[in-house]
Amino acid sequence: MGKQIRAVMAGCGGMSGAWLRSASEIPAVKIVGLVDIVADSAKKRADEFKLADAVIGTNLKAVIKQTGANVVFDCTTPEAHHPITMTALRNGCHVLGEKPLADSMAHAKAMVAAAKKAKKLYAVIQNRRYDQHIRRLKSFLESGAIGDVTTVHCDFYIGAHFGGFRDHMKHVLLLDMAIHTIDAGRFLIGVDPVAVTCREWNPPGSWYDHDASAVALFEMKGGIVYTYRGSWCADGLNTTWESDWRIICQQGSVKWNGADDFKAQVVSKTGGFFSEWADIEVPAHDAGDKTGGHTGIMKEFVRCIQSGGKPETYCADNIKSLAMVFGAIKSSEAKKRVPIKW
């Protein structure tokens, strides 16, 4: 048996339920503490998940010390990720954090450096990578069936009436949701970003205080172009949460609706005004343990603590996805193309 994971959940709001359900499916994980600035929120989660032995508190450092925790699950809001992660690392804990990695690139760089200095794992929940359908698409692209990727387009349109902090959050689409889609795009393309041109806006009639729509064009290494179009303020004809994708390769194209609908064509004959195309299957793919959303990434995180290695969403890699988001924000504010740095 590997090392037992004694975990403190920091942040006991809405998303913490998904985290705690995933943790309950992993025998090696024991939730020993629940921390929230509102103690009653932590108590409610303890009651809901029958965590009678868990220590309840409002001070993370104190709860880590009291419980002997070796892991912190950070399910707080973005602006709290930096202080929570730094506290956890300084007190001997590995960290698995909610996306986005940080609320600024300065904080992100400090967190990555702190994890390296502490020799602890810090990874980010990019649960949409751990979806069987995106793994199927990735496998198809890597097979070379339609040649090398040249261009990737994705659309995300959902009219989400959240209420709460998102209604008042600046850059709500790019920072809160597009991080998922942008990270998925980087995963599918498999190369690093170079630069971005972006525009954000808030449509008339929006129920958000700030820009809830955006269009971004990312330049990736190897001359690949990746475009993102999205809105939180789009009622009707919604896409899936995983977005709607068209990927153009040198010998064909593939479309994915973010769920289980795939369509692909490969060039079968050239020489005319139009090439001739043939429909081809996107084969089923066994992704093994790289599925399961929150549970899949949490299992990988635990395995890495117990046996060595780094999770796929380790902070030093995931910061590249965050840099794409903040690059897009900077481009929108400056109204110009900006290089992406991390």
Side-chain angles (χ1 to χ4, degrees):
M1 179 181 288
K3 183 178 183 181
Q4 185 187 43
I5 306 302
R6 296 178 59 79
V8 172
M9 171 64 73
C12 296
M15 282 303 301
S16 65
W19 285 63
L20 291 168
R21 281 189 290 274
S22 292
S24 71
E25 298 176 23
I26 306 173
V29 175
K30 179 179 177 62
I31 302 296
V32 295
L34 295 156
V35 175
D36 197 280
I37 57 174
V38 179
D40 282 347
S41 296
K43 290 176 184 176
K44 287 179 182 178
R45 285 300 191 205
D47 292 341
E48 179 183 356
F49 287 90
K50 298 179 172 58
L51 300 170
D53 296 334
V55 173
I56 306 299
T58 58
N59 183 287
L60 178 60
K61 181 178 178 179
V63 173
I64 290 172
K65 295 298 184 185
Q66 188 174 346
T67 60
N70 54 14
V71 164
V72 168
F73 293 147
D74 177 12
C75 198
T76 60
T77 55
E79 61 270 17
H81 291 177
H82 175 257
I84 290 292
T85 298
M86 299 298 274
T87 296
L89 293 171
R90 288 167 182 158
N91 286 275
C93 291
H94 303 281
V95 183
L96 181 61
E98 185 57 81
K99 57 75 193 168
L101 190 155
D103 61 344
S104 71
M105 285 305 295
H107 280 164
K109 291 174 183 178
M111 293 154 77
V112 171
K116 183 178 180 180
K117 181 179 179 181
K119 297 182 180 179
K120 298 294 181 182
L121 292 182
Y122 171 37
V124 181
I125 286 274
Q126 296 281 181
N127 53 294
R128 283 171 166 78
R129 280 186 179 229
Y130 289 71
D131 172 85
Q132 62 177 340
H133 303 304
I134 198 170
R135 294 285 168 173
R136 179 181 172 187
L137 179 57
K138 175 74 168 176
S139 176
F140 177 71
L141 294 172
E142 288 181 336
S143 75
I146 55 175
D148 294 336
V149 173
T150 68
T151 312
V152 175
H153 300 294
C154 69
D155 289 332
F156 174 86
Y157 292 106
I158 287 181
H161 298 258
F162 289 108
F165 76 92
R166 288 180 179 86
D167 284 5
H168 313 293
M169 182 178 175
K170 291 184 178 180
H171 311 293
V172 61
L173 176 70
L174 288 178
L175 193 56
D176 187 59
M177 185 62 205
I179 183 65
H180 278 305
T181 316
I182 288 169
D183 181 72
R186 190 171 69 86
F187 167 67
L188 290 170
I189 296 166
V191 298
D192 290 341
V194 176
V196 60
T197 304
C198 177
R199 185 194 168 196
E200 294 174 279
W201 71 98
N202 207 21
S206 172
W207 49 93
Y208 293 90
D209 290 349
H210 302 284
D211 293 341
S213 300
V215 173
L217 185 152
F218 295 98
E219 302 165 41
M220 310 294 287
K221 284 188 176 179
I224 298 171
V225 171
Y226 167 35
T227 69
Y228 169 87
R229 302 189 303 178
S231 180
W232 268 139
C233 189
D235 279 329
L237 301 177
N238 286 175
T239 63
T240 66
W241 287 87
E242 312 307 325
S243 301
D244 191 75
W245 298 78
R246 175 188 286 265
I247 301 176
I248 304 168
C249 299
Q250 290 183 357
Q251 281 85 49
S253 296
V254 58
K255 293 176 68 177
W256 173 48
N257 76 337
D260 59 0
D261 186 27
F262 295 86
K263 293 182 175 66
Q265 292 186 327
V266 64
V267 174
S268 58
K269 184 179 179 181
T270 60
F273 182 76
F274 289 117
S275 297
E276 294 182 15
W277 313 296
D279 293 337
I280 58 172
E281 280 292 314
V282 176
H285 173 66
D286 182 1
D289 57 6
K290 293 288 189 177
T291 60
H294 284 77
T295 305
I297 191 170
M298 195 175 287
K299 285 181 177 179
E300 183 182 36
F301 180 73
V302 169
R303 282 195 303 272
C304 289
I305 292 173
Q306 293 177 331
S307 306
K310 292 178 180 176
E312 190 171 291
T313 59
Y314 180 65
C315 59
D317 180 76
N318 190 250
I319 195 173
K320 298 175 185 179
S321 296
L322 188 72
M324 292 175 73
V325 169
F326 278 110
I329 291 171
K330 183 177 180 180
S331 171
S332 177
E333 290 177 339
K335 295 181 171 57
K336 66 179 183 180
R337 174 186 180 272
V338 301
I340 296 173
K341 299 178 181 179
W342 56 89

